[in-house]
Amino acid sequence: MSERNTWPADADGDVLRILEDRDFDFDKTHNIEFYIEFKNWPLTDKQQQEITENLPGASFLDSDQESIADGDAPGYVLFMTKNIVTHEFVGQEQTRLSRLVEPLDGVCNSWAVCSPCS
């Protein structure tokens, strides 16, 4: 039985099953976006500098009013990396990013990838 048929019954496994249903190519390298939310937003200049030093290329994005009304955070850091999409990788990367931003009251608990992108 392939790993694809044994993904855990968790949020990441659910996303991977959706991707599989969409004929996502798990054998190719993709841009994977990781979303990092913080207890307080906007971040201070010092916090932004620390994140920029540790996550080159990270973007600081404010949510629009509609998204905030729907329960989204007022803003977040977007960090993108290229990799093959696996349950192990997305889990490890979310853990790594969460540990990195924990002193800033941040957490990475979501990710996205185009399925498929043209």
Side-chain angles (χ1 to χ4, degrees):
M1 183 179 281
S2 75
E3 176 193 350
R4 293 181 186 146
N5 295 322
T6 60
W7 288 312
D10 61 14
D12 295 331
D14 292 345
V15 171
L16 295 169
R17 281 183 280 281
I18 290 168
L19 291 171
E20 184 176 44
D21 288 345
R22 294 179 181 173
D23 296 324
F24 184 80
D25 189 345
F26 287 96
D27 295 321
K28 287 187 178 179
T29 299
H30 297 274
N31 288 325
I32 307 170
E33 299 176 342
F34 291 91
Y35 303 92
I36 306 168
E37 296 180 2
F38 295 84
K39 182 177 178 181
N40 296 303
W41 191 267
L43 299 176
T44 66
D45 289 344
K46 183 178 178 185
Q47 289 171 317
Q48 289 183 32
Q49 180 180 357
E50 185 174 333
I51 289 170
T52 300
E53 288 172 1
N54 290 304
L55 298 173
S59 301
F60 301 87
L61 303 169
D62 294 320
S63 298
D64 60 40
Q65 290 304 315
E66 184 177 322
S67 296
I68 294 169
D70 289 340
D72 287 352
Y76 57 93
V77 170
L78 174 65
F79 179 70
M80 189 179 307
T81 188
K82 286 184 178 264
N83 204 74
I84 293 174
V85 178
T86 66
H87 190 273
E88 180 181 28
F89 175 74
V90 296
Q92 287 176 350
E93 190 66 354
Q94 288 177 94
T95 298
R96 180 185 80 85
L97 294 169
S98 289
R99 285 185 181 141
L100 186 71
V101 298
E102 184 178 25
L104 306 175
D105 287 327
V107 64
C108 177
N109 62 4
S110 61
W111 59 277
V113 64
C114 291
S115 65
C117 292
S118 46

